[in-house]
Amino acid sequence: MTEPGGRTRRPDSPPPGLVVAVGVLLALPVLALIWVSSYNRPEPKLGGVPFFYWYQFLWVFIAAACTTVAYRLVVGYERRRRALRGNGSATGREDRGVRR
């Protein structure tokens, strides 16, 4: 399959929009935390804890949420792709030839 720009894309590769969305979700926490000058200050305090510390701690939960959403996007795409191709079940588990 040829895309605009003359590049070829494998038929089973994920759509570019999905790749971009997952990349942004995974890069967001990294970029937010390496830009130290944006949060290198003591105010505002939260329960006596300086902003510098509670901001970073907040990103632990935000990063977990971003990673979860990215994972669910990829898994959802894989399930839809397998269901359309007819390979394996919708849960992603394939029968390995085990007789029941």
Side-chain angles (χ1 to χ4, degrees), residues 5-94:
R7 289 181 283 175
T8 58
R9 189 180 128 203
R10 291 189 356 221
D12 60 341
S13 64
L18 176 68
V19 174
V20 169
V22 169
V24 167
L25 284 167
L26 296 177
L28 185 66
V30 174
L31 295 175
L33 290 171
I34 64 171
W35 184 25
V36 178
S37 63
S38 69
Y39 61 91
N40 188 16
R41 58 183 184 265
E43 299 292 331
K45 291 186 177 184
L46 182 66
V49 178
F51 180 72
F52 181 79
Y53 295 110
W54 68 258
Y55 177 82
Q56 292 177 74
F57 188 66
L58 178 67
W59 272 101
V60 170
F61 300 104
I62 296 171
C66 289
T67 305
T68 301
V69 171
Y71 172 78
R72 291 194 181 272
L73 285 172
V74 171
V75 168
Y77 168 75
E78 286 296 319
R79 285 184 180 164
R80 286 188 303 275
R81 185 181 64 86
R82 284 191 179 125
L84 289 174
R85 289 182 64 196
N87 293 346
S89 66
T91 61
R93 297 185 185 122
E94 297 179 19

